[in-house]
Amino acid sequence: MKKAEIIKYLKGQYKAKKVDSDWEFILKDDDEGYLAFFPGTFGTGSTRTLLGMPSMTLPWLLKLYRPIFYPDKKATPTFVAGPQFKLPAREGVIYKEQIDELVERCFEWFQQQSQQEVVATEFARCYEKITGFPPAGWQPKHIMACVLKGDVDRLRGYLDAFKRGDRMEFIPIIKQEYFERAIPLAEKYRSG
């Protein structure tokens, strides 16, 4: 199968949306969570490989994420971007069974990543982190982790710094209003 045929095959099974010049397929969007992936191919002939990059989020994370970052929108952010799954083509040909196997790997990854222990570990890591690269992946999670911990003092410190013009190594997409919205939520978490 060529990439166009792969896209057509997946469109017959899953909801799809165009993202820039590529296609994202929504494998799951229910009370358990949101799982999507970008398929692709790499190489030619006997070195041809089927690729898939999954991403996911969980409903309770959306309930925390939206009031802080997008109170007026229904954005579905990526909580975790997964590893790139690779399946070598057989004799240079990609078959439907391989696409189905790739999708199954995405579902297995989702089940693993949605476990409470895994999510707690990720938030603990992002809570402790205050600098690093790439910041876009962890800085929103860091703010959410502060809310979940009820760390009003830390969030107020960030807000005060922003008011003074000190961005404290936060990337440009992080805005002062995020801290203003996060503080009342953190107060609720702190009080139980």
Side-chain angles (χ1 to χ4, degrees), residues 9-160:
Y9 175 71
L10 288 167
K11 279 184 175 180
Q13 298 181 53
Y14 303 103
K15 185 176 158 186
K17 67 179 179 181
K18 192 85 164 156
V19 178
D20 297 324
S21 63
D22 220 337
W23 286 94
E24 179 182 45
F25 291 90
I26 292 86
L27 304 178
K28 177 181 196 46
D29 188 5
D30 57 23
D31 292 342
E32 191 181 14
Y34 177 89
L35 172 64
F37 90 113
F38 287 93
T41 61
F42 179 79
T44 59
S46 63
T47 63
R48 193 159 180 231
T49 303
L50 175 65
L51 306 172
M53 175 79 82
S55 63
M56 63 161 278
T57 195
L58 303 169
W60 66 269
L61 285 170
L62 289 177
K63 289 179 183 175
L64 179 61
Y65 183 90
R66 286 183 178 140
I68 297 169
F69 302 104
Y70 296 103
D72 302 327
K73 296 181 183 172
K74 287 279 188 184
T76 302
T78 296
F79 171 65
V80 177
Q84 188 176 70
F85 294 119
K86 298 176 184 179
L87 292 174
R90 292 184 233 139
E91 294 109 31
V93 179
I94 294 172
Y95 296 95
K96 290 178 183 178
E97 298 81 33
Q98 290 174 289
I99 299 167
D100 294 339
E101 181 182 341
L102 183 70
V103 168
E104 183 57 35
R105 285 187 183 187
C106 291
F107 276 104
E108 289 170 3
W109 173 81
F110 174 85
Q111 291 302 322
Q112 180 186 52
Q113 293 301 309
S114 62
Q115 297 298 311
Q116 186 176 357
E117 308 81 44
V118 175
V119 174
T121 300
E122 174 68 3
F123 269 102
R125 182 185 69 80
C126 291
Y127 175 75
E128 295 301 326
K129 193 170 191 164
I130 57 171
T131 62
F133 187 81
W138 65 266
Q139 286 185 347
K141 290 180 201 171
H142 173 73
I143 294 168
M144 291 172 32
C146 290
V147 169
L148 290 170
K149 285 227 176 229
D151 195 341
V152 175
D153 297 333
R154 184 179 272 193
L155 291 168
R156 279 196 181 123
Y158 294 151
L159 177 59
D160 292 342

